[in-house]
Amino acid sequence: MNNFQYKRVSSPIAAITELAKDPAAKLVAGGTNLIDLMKYGVMSPDKLVDVNHLNFNEIVKQDGSLHIGATVRNAVASANADVLKYQPLLSQAMLSGASPQLRNKATMGGNLLQRTRCGYFYDISAPCNKRQPGSGCGAMGGYNRMHAIFGASSSCIAVNPSDMNVALTALDAVILVTGPKGDRKIPISDFHRLPGTHPELDTTLDRKEIITGIVIPDNAFAANTTYIKVRDRASYAFALISVAVAMELEGTTIKDIRLAMGGVAHKPWRLKEAEQMLKGKQASVENFKMAAELAMKGARAYEHNAFKLKLAPNTMIQALKTASGIKA
Amino acid sequence: MSKKHLENADMELAMSRVDGRVKVTGAAKYTAEVQLPELTYGVLVESTVGQGVITSIDTKKAEWAPGVIAVISHLNTPGVPEYKLQNQDVIQKQLRVFNDANVYFNGQPIAVVVADTLERAQYGASLVKVTYSKEKSFSNLKDNIARAIVPKKAKADPKGMTSDFIRGRAEAYKDAEFQVNEEYIQPSEAHHPMELHSIIATWDAEDKLTLVDKTQGSQQTAASIAKSFQLPAENVKVLSTYVGGAFGSALRVWPHEIVAILAAKKVQKPVKLVLHRNQMSYMVGYRPYTLQKVAIGASKDGKILGLSHESYGKTSMYEEFTENVLIMSRMMYDIPNVDTKYRIVPLNVSTPAPMRGPGEATGSFALECAIDELSYKLKMDPIELRLVNYAAQDPDKKIPWSSNFLKECYQLGADKIGWNKRKAEPDSIQDGEWKVGYGVATGTFGAFRNAASVKATFKPDGTLLLQSAIADIGPGTATSMTAIAAKNLGIQPENIAFQLGNSTFPKAPMQGGSNTVATVGSAVVATCDNLKVELAKRAAKQKPEWNNAIPKNISIVGTQLVNSDEPSSKVEIASLFKEDNLSELVIKGDAAPGEESKKYSFYSFSVHFIEAHVHELTGVVRIKNAVSVIDCGTVVSPKTARSQSMGGIVGGIGMALMEDVVIDDRTGRTVTASFGDYHVPVQADIPQMEMMFVNEKDPYLNPMGSKGLGEIVIIGVAPAVANAVYNATGKRVRHLPITPDKLI
Ligand SMILES: Cc1cc2nc3c(=O)[nH]c(=O)nc-3n(C[C@H](O)[C@H](O)[C@H](O)COP(=O)(O)OP(=O)(O)OC[C@H]3O[C@@H](n4cnc5c(N)ncnc54)[C@H](O)[C@@H]3O)c2cc1C
């Protein structure tokens, strides 16, 4: 790890100023991702600006939405009574990520910005367009079992590893940010990017902006949500495939539904076509299967991840069954 | 008849781990935690190509970095004297670290940066720039199977397990009515003990070296290092008081240990070198990727007529690693015709190492899955099939077993897991969304014994100190040795201390191959007997009846020495020290195996039962129940034996379901080196486990009646899982690990 300065700031302005002043500065929150990447030599900021003392640590149920501050710990948010009551999907997704120790440190803002777990991104002796633009993609012709089946480009096939982000995507969350040009609200589906020709950019957040919080609009999904994560062991592993379902049922009719998938793309993958198809339909395994087939349109596999073409729809069917309680 | 076997419920009263408290409170200091004055820190620079020659090493930036004391590579190494000798052992040709510019595998240590702090050494190491003349590297076994060779060891030992072997006729399976002929792959597995490999090297004088080192054999490491550096044997002292697991990875000296010693020579200060977790998967050995072909033929009644078994394992370009993959096929079942073929494939990988159940764990995966496959073809219960082919004596050596309670194992385990719930037809039990299946497999490992000595220091207050050079890599050696001594002498365990892990203590073998209890335990018994004889001799001066006392009848009860033959002849222990005013009695005991291995075949046995649930849509496997039944002779320390067995099941589940060292064959680089990518079981993967011990004495191996335990607890677990998964789903996975993608 390189030598770096550490600066603790107590106002958003001060944080923004530090970022504006020093292009090699980075914010640090829980540090569970950034410090790891620094130890591997993947990232080497010369200054860490500590956001833990900004006042972004509240969870507030407002009229029409739930607001969660950027520095709220994943452990705190997932156990919060309002989160459990209004957005249980988010809690479930967060609890399926990492370990209790990590969730005690990890923040909402940091989780939104956690970087890919692609082994070639982590190994500084390997080429990686995300780590070193122009150096090539190690994963494309390498070991790509964990990699994307949607939205990849010829420069990057990495996936976003977050569980929380998948739930937030299904819940139409909005990311609140502030920066030199003032405040912005970014819908989560516009927050994370596809790799295109610039895989070094994970999100649309400007380098000088900071996340202050997340807003989730109220919905009528709480009774029928689920997050299913398929992984290589029972806990403490990243998703091979994960699916978030939030649905509103009227009897056995699907009045409204949100679907998002993890482990499949450079960003949490919203399944709008499948949602459209299911809306107004009967909750039945037959319809779930049709929706899952639709969801897989455009999927493309690489040498080691072809199984995802089957595991993804299977997991989606399972998630729909679990969320609806419909078994047949 | 009272029940002899031990199960979970019997453990409560058993003795607890004597070093449990210091381990869980952190008071036990492992190598990496040891602090010395003037300590410096070494961090390795590794090759990033799989094969080639180093053309330049630019160390300037690193040398100028704050805190850096030295950067050492082949360009400026003080040198390892042994490398210059001509008579290097041709089979065990270790990697000659820093000897020249050649690179044989990706991740090979090629330089070390020594600094005043760990962080500065790490940063310094990141500044070393290396260029190579790169050559094509070969790391895939299947693609390079044409490079397979007969190991030199086979030529040197034509009767050994690596030589081509035929009993009866070769390929006799072909004549049988029912046949299985399949290929099985066990990928490389890293040992990944919790403790990282670490060493602190200190040159006390020009020709005198002290090492604090993670090793499974303090004396063997000392001897190996003394040879490498051409030092008098007594001038190398090795301490490994606590070892946080090893599973075989610390059975030899590795390059990083040589590097630490070279670095300490160069900087003239103690050097601590701790491997990074990722380096643990390619710098300290691994269970090698092995492809096996197994063909079995049986008649309608299940009698196996022929078994052919071939094994191809990875090894490095510079060293031949072999293991007993095929032994079980030769001795486990009563089969008239057996042929085996063992090959290794030299590749651009580091040298493998024995890993818990070395060879047998790999071999049993193929053999015990093939037997299971045969049982379905025959429509015969897999336990029944094994019983039909039960070997009443060792069919390989053609001598009787010293003891063999396999039949009892099958019976106890089948009852415990509820084998009668199993359906012969696969994919026929459903529990909601989960498919349920049961599997069984057998394990075996030679029961060995070596020579060892123990030193006892007995005090007038009745406390006893025992010392042996043996390592304790986790099984609880100090605990089991204390239990043996306590039982022999009658002294309360809390009045006994057992010290180990020090090369200056009395002779012991390495802790490996499940021989510690048999070997060191026997020396403990000999030492305790010697002590009793000495005490009786002294007692006889007070009461002549003691002249006739025999050790078996002598015990220490409270503060007194008692002879059960002559209860009235009690003497006070303290009085025995008075005559010559001794402050303590120092007694040694030696023990060595005799001729028994010529007459009997010594093996431990295990049978593992698994209940697996497989999700119908996602292919996720959950092990719901595991039962291991163990024939390891007399159990000397039930609690630690149970812990060993639990560890074996956990390791076996890891092997079956998730562990996989993956190499990118374009570069030879390990892509699953980090703990994020290399999965070992977490608590949530581990089911209810029942460990049962037959607990019947082996009459011949040693005075305790014990056989080895450490290996058989894992051997056979992975095939039991694979067989349970097949029973649940009808899907036969022959390429481990059984991850969800293979079951959908
Ligand atoms: C062993 C391990 C296992 C894991 N398993 C999982 C898993 O199964 N599922 C899962 O979803 N995650 C998993 N994680 C990832 C974990 O969720 C993230 O590391 C964590 O959420 C990051 O949060 P943090 O606060 O520690 O971020 P940091 O490491 O502090 O920061 C991460 C990034 O966010 C930026 N940042 C932080 N706060 C702000 C802010 N307010 N505004 C702008 N930028 C900001 C930082 O500059 C940095 O670039 C795992 C992590 C580890 C180490």
Side-chain angles (χ1 to χ4, degrees):
Chain A
M1 193 191 287
N2 59 307
N3 255 325
F4 59 88
Q5 283 180 32
Y6 170 83
K7 189 123 188 183
R8 187 180 281 182
V9 289
S10 49
S11 74
I13 302 283
I16 294 164
T17 311
E18 288 296 339
L19 293 177
K21 224 166 45 187
D22 183 353
K26 267 292 200 191
L27 302 181
V28 65
T32 59
N33 191 220
L34 181 57
I35 305 292
D36 221 18
L37 289 164
M38 289 169 70
K39 286 185 182 168
Y40 276 93
V42 176
M43 293 176 79
S44 33
D46 64 9
K47 186 188 282 175
L48 292 187
V49 181
D50 184 344
V51 298
N52 287 298
H53 301 272
L54 304 182
N55 259 336
F56 299 144
N57 51 11
E58 278 188 330
I59 300 176
V60 186
K61 178 67 186 80
Q62 300 161 332
D63 210 16
S65 66
L66 181 69
H67 176 280
I68 307 174
T71 57
V72 171
R73 307 287 147 178
N74 284 178
V76 171
S78 57
N80 176 272
D82 285 329
V83 173
L84 286 166
K85 183 169 172 199
Y86 297 103
Q87 309 298 348
L89 176 65
L90 176 62
S91 172
Q92 199 192 350
M94 281 195 292
L95 288 176
S96 75
S99 66
Q101 295 90 330
L102 282 157
R103 295 194 297 267
N104 284 339
K105 285 296 276 181
T107 63
M108 304 302 285
N111 198 329
L112 275 170
L113 291 178
Q114 67 166 299
R115 309 207 64 186
T116 185
R117 293 278 159 173
C118 173
Y120 299 90
F121 174 67
Y122 263 82
D123 180 357
I124 58 169
S125 80
C128 173
N129 289 321
K130 184 180 280 298
R131 176 171 28 80
Q132 204 184 335
S135 63
C137 174
M140 199 97 63
Y143 183 61
N144 42 38
R145 180 167 178 267
M146 298 299 288
H147 290 71
I149 52 171
F150 291 118
S153 73
S154 59
S155 62
C156 181
I157 61 171
V159 299
N160 183 306
S162 168
D163 294 299
M164 182 189 90
N165 293 347
V166 181
L168 289 177
T169 299
L171 297 170
D172 284 319
V174 175
I175 315 305
L176 308 180
V177 309
T178 184
K181 294 185 192 144
D183 297 350
R184 287 207 290 155
K185 289 182 177 177
I186 312 175
I188 185 147
S189 37
D190 298 334
F191 186 78
H192 297 99
R193 294 179 68 255
L194 287 179
T197 50
H198 284 287
E200 73 279 10
L201 300 175
D202 294 347
T203 68
T204 55
L205 189 73
D206 186 79
R207 204 194 55 76
K208 299 187 278 291
E209 284 178 317
I210 68 172
I211 300 168
T212 61
I214 297 170
V215 170
I216 306 173
D218 284 356
N219 55 51
F221 299 137
N224 293 97
T225 65
T226 201
Y227 184 74
I228 292 201
K229 179 179 181 183
V230 181
R231 42 190 153 174
D232 285 326
R233 63 180 167 195
S235 165
Y236 204 24
F238 289 94
L240 295 167
I241 295 286
S242 69
V243 174
V245 180
M247 58 165 84
E248 187 184 350
L249 285 178
E250 227 168 41
T252 55
T253 307
I254 301 169
K255 198 170 160 210
D256 199 4
I257 183 161
R258 302 280 184 279
L259 283 163
M261 214 177 248
V264 291
H266 198 259
K267 61 187 286 187
W269 199 246
R270 180 78 178 260
L271 303 166
K272 284 231 161 113
E273 275 183 63
E275 290 174 9
Q276 284 308 321
M277 189 238 113
L278 286 169
K279 223 165 150 174
K281 295 256 167 56
Q282 281 295 304
S284 71
V285 172
E286 198 180 322
N287 283 333
F288 298 161
K289 281 186 179 159
M290 275 165 63
E293 206 172 300
L294 199 59
M296 294 311 290
K297 249 177 47 192
R300 173 195 165 180
Y302 298 86
E303 187 181 350
H304 304 103
N305 68 351
F307 71 92
K308 289 190 177 181
L309 301 180
K310 177 128 192 245
L311 186 58
N314 277 9
T315 309
M316 187 170 147
I317 294 164
Q318 180 57 38
L320 286 162
K321 283 166 73 175
T322 306
S324 63
I326 303 282
K327 302 264 181 250
Chain B
M1 214 185 82
S2 69
K3 134 181 172 310
K4 198 160 194 182
H5 75 264
L6 298 170
E7 48 194 297
N8 285 6
D10 299 317
M11 302 295 163
E12 265 162 48
L13 295 174
M15 190 177 139
S16 290
R17 217 170 255 267
V18 295
D19 46 9
R21 173 174 287 272
V22 292
K23 284 187 171 172
V24 299
T25 56
K29 290 277 175 269
Y30 293 81
T31 299
E33 299 173 289
V34 172
Q35 285 303 325
L36 296 176
E38 291 204 76
L39 194 57
T40 64
Y41 299 81
V43 168
L44 296 170
V45 177
E46 13 171 302
S47 73
T48 55
V49 301
Q51 169 130 296
V53 178
I54 299 166
T55 47
S56 75
I57 301 187
D58 180 358
T59 59
K60 272 202 201 66
K61 266 196 179 160
E63 278 160 10
W64 280 100
V68 171
I69 303 164
V71 183
I72 305 153
S73 68
H74 70 284
L75 299 173
N76 62 343
T77 173
V80 178
E82 190 190 16
Y83 295 170
K84 302 199 179 71
L85 302 180
Q86 292 304 311
N87 61 345
Q88 267 231 62
D89 187 333
V90 283
I91 296 174
Q92 289 292 317
K93 204 169 109 190
Q94 57 177 310
L95 180 78
R96 299 182 190 192
V97 66
F98 297 176
N99 194 52
D100 53 37
N102 293 331
V103 172
Y104 301 100
F105 68 92
N106 202 321
Q108 178 180 320
I110 51 174
V112 65
V113 174
V114 184
D116 57 353
T117 70
L118 172 64
E119 290 76 10
R120 287 170 144 181
Q122 284 170 333
Y123 182 58
S126 77
L127 299 175
V128 175
K129 293 284 167 272
V130 185
T131 60
Y132 308 87
S133 148
K134 199 168 127 185
E135 290 155 33
K136 185 168 166 43
S137 67
F138 304 90
S139 51
N140 187 299
L141 184 134
K142 275 193 113 165
D143 294 350
N144 294 288
I145 200 118
R147 294 163 172 257
I149 57 167
V150 177
K152 293 192 190 84
K153 192 173 173 183
K155 292 167 203 156
D157 177 15
K159 292 230 166 78
M161 284 296 158
T162 59
S163 302
D164 288 3
F165 168 82
I166 300 176
R167 175 162 79 235
R169 284 178 302 126
E171 302 196 325
Y173 72 90
K174 286 183 171 164
D175 304 336
E177 191 181 346
F178 294 87
Q179 292 177 20
V180 168
N181 188 352
E182 297 293 348
E183 213 174 270
Y184 301 86
I185 292 175
Q186 143 73 60
S188 294
E189 267 192 292
H191 300 74
H192 277 313
M194 201 174 325
E195 182 200 20
L196 299 167
H197 275 251
S198 323
I199 179 170
I200 302 173
T202 310
W203 287 91
D204 303 314
E206 187 69 6
D207 64 347
K208 234 177 144 215
L209 194 53
T210 298
L211 306 176
V212 183
D213 195 12
K214 178 189 180 93
T215 168
Q216 294 179 239
S218 56
Q219 290 175 333
Q220 292 69 23
T221 293
S224 172
I225 297 287
K227 185 162 164 260
S228 292
F229 287 86
Q230 300 285 297
L231 301 170
E234 63 279 10
N235 282 14
V236 182
K237 179 176 172 182
V238 175
L239 302 169
S240 56
T241 315
Y242 294 104
V243 178
F247 308 115
S249 63
L251 283 171
R252 66 175 295 181
V253 170
W254 293 108
H256 74 273
E257 292 165 280
I258 301 286
V259 167
I261 296 166
L262 289 172
K265 181 142 226 169
K266 191 89 174 175
V267 304
Q268 293 289 307
K269 282 182 182 164
V271 171
K272 181 190 281 190
L273 199 156
V274 181
L275 292 191
H276 187 276
R277 174 56 67 184
N278 290 16
Q279 294 172 332
M280 298 280 288
S281 55
Y282 49 84
M283 279 198 194
V284 287
Y286 51 90
R287 193 194 298 286
Y289 182 109
T290 302
L291 181 152
Q292 298 174 71
K293 298 177 184 179
V294 179
I296 313 184
S299 53
K300 206 164 59 238
D301 56 2
K303 191 78 197 82
I304 300 174
L305 303 173
L307 165 63
S308 302
H309 192 165
E310 287 174 31
S311 171
Y312 299 81
K314 281 191 182 185
T315 192
S316 64
M317 289 293 190
Y318 47 89
E319 191 168 27
E320 295 194 353
F321 176 81
T322 63
E323 55 185 3
N324 291 343
V325 175
L326 303 172
I327 191 167
M328 198 163 158
S329 285
R330 281 167 62 164
M331 52 59 72
M332 191 68 210
Y333 299 105
D334 185 20
I335 305 172
N337 304 295
V338 175
D339 57 299
T340 67
K341 201 168 115 182
Y342 185 80
R343 298 289 181 272
I344 49 176
V345 185
L347 294 166
N348 291 109
V349 293
S350 60
T351 307
M355 179 164 159
R356 199 173 203 180
E360 283 85 343
T362 303
S364 77
F365 163 61
L367 176 65
E368 290 294 295
C369 282
I371 298 264
D372 197 65
E373 299 204 38
L374 181 64
S375 78
Y376 286 92
K377 292 216 163 146
L378 289 161
K379 299 197 188 315
M380 186 180 236
D381 184 282
I383 296 178
E384 181 61 30
L385 174 58
R386 286 174 173 89
L387 290 173
V388 166
N389 293 286
Y390 174 80
Q393 67 161 14
D394 182 342
D396 185 40
K397 297 189 193 125
K398 301 191 170 58
I399 50 177
W401 306 114
S402 63
S403 60
N404 178 332
F405 293 95
L406 263 175
K407 288 181 174 170
E408 288 75 0
C409 292
Y410 290 122
Q411 188 60 54
L412 283 169
D415 291 348
K416 186 57 84 180
I417 195 131
W419 187 250
N420 54 3
K421 287 179 288 187
R422 175 184 180 270
K423 296 268 183 292
E425 188 64 31
D427 194 6
S428 46
I429 309 177
Q430 191 90 15
D431 178 8
E433 292 153 354
W434 299 82
K435 296 169 184 288
V436 179
Y438 295 84
V440 66
T442 311
T444 185
F445 195 81
F448 302 105
R449 178 178 171 187
N450 289 298
S453 306
V454 165
K455 179 176 151 191
T457 307
F458 188 55
K459 295 251 166 82
D461 62 3
T463 59
L464 178 71
L465 170 67
L466 297 169
Q467 291 171 317
S468 158
I470 192 73
D472 180 1
I473 61 172
T477 300
T479 308
S480 51
M481 295 305 125
T482 300
I484 290 170
K487 183 163 177 228
N488 185 295
L489 293 170
I491 301 181
Q492 292 302 306
E494 53 273 23
N495 288 332
I496 301 174
F498 191 89
Q499 291 179 344
L500 44 65
N502 182 326
S503 65
T504 65
F505 288 169
K507 169 179 151 173
M510 291 201 265
Q511 181 157 76
S514 306
N515 84 102
T516 302
V517 166
T519 302
V520 184
S522 299
V524 168
V525 169
T527 309
C528 291
D529 284 350
N530 290 349
L531 175 62
K532 289 195 276 194
V533 169
E534 172 64 24
L535 291 173
K537 212 163 78 195
R538 289 172 171 261
K541 293 187 183 147
Q542 295 174 27
K543 297 187 175 170
E545 320 73 292
W546 278 97
N547 278 322
N548 307 323
I550 50 171
K552 185 162 73 72
N553 297 332
I554 303 173
S555 62
I556 293 161
V557 181
T559 61
Q560 293 177 319
L561 191 70
V562 179
N563 180 357
S564 60
D565 253 3
E566 305 246 11
S568 61
S569 65
K570 287 180 196 139
V571 291
E572 284 295 320
I573 300 278
S575 72
L576 304 175
F577 291 76
K578 288 227 172 88
E579 97 189 69
D580 42 7
N581 240 334
L582 274 187
S583 61
E584 58 187 31
L585 259 175
V586 177
I587 300 282
K588 269 190 80 169
D590 309 310
E595 298 285 281
E596 63 275 3
S597 68
K598 294 206 176 115
K599 283 190 256 167
Y600 300 100
S601 180
F602 291 92
Y603 283 91
S604 293
F605 299 97
S606 56
V607 180
H608 308 282
F609 292 82
I610 293 287
E611 178 187 339
H613 292 209
V614 183
H615 194 274
E616 60 183 8
L617 279 177
T618 62
V620 165
V621 180
R622 292 275 177 270
I623 308 298
K624 282 289 164 171
N625 200 358
V627 175
S628 287
V629 196
I630 308 289
D631 167 18
C632 63
T634 304
V635 175
V636 295
S637 170
K639 252 194 200 175
T640 53
R642 177 172 179 268
S643 298
Q644 279 258 51
S645 185
M646 270 197 260
I649 295 174
V650 174
I653 289 175
M655 176 177 174
L657 297 184
M658 56 194 89
E659 296 189 46
D660 193 359
V661 175
V662 179
I663 290 179
D664 184 331
D665 294 315
R666 298 171 304 173
T667 57
R669 206 156 170 83
T670 304
V671 279
T672 57
S674 95
F675 254 177
D677 299 301
Y678 187 87
H679 295 134
V680 295
V682 295
Q683 191 65 37
D685 292 297
I686 300 309
Q688 168 64 34
M689 295 183 275
E690 182 76 43
M691 277 63 59
M692 305 177 85
F693 298 88
V694 179
N695 199 27
E696 289 282 355
K697 187 179 164 83
D698 183 286
Y700 306 112
L701 189 62
N702 56 58
M704 293 82 57
S706 304
K707 302 189 281 189
L709 174 64
E711 326 289 332
I712 45 162
V713 294
I714 190 170
I715 298 165
V717 176
V721 172
N723 295 342
V725 167
Y726 177 77
N727 186 241
T729 62
K731 289 196 172 102
R732 179 63 67 177
V733 180
R734 301 187 185 90
H735 186 157
L736 295 180
I738 308 169
T739 40
D741 46 302
K742 294 178 183 162
L743 295 172
I744 54 169

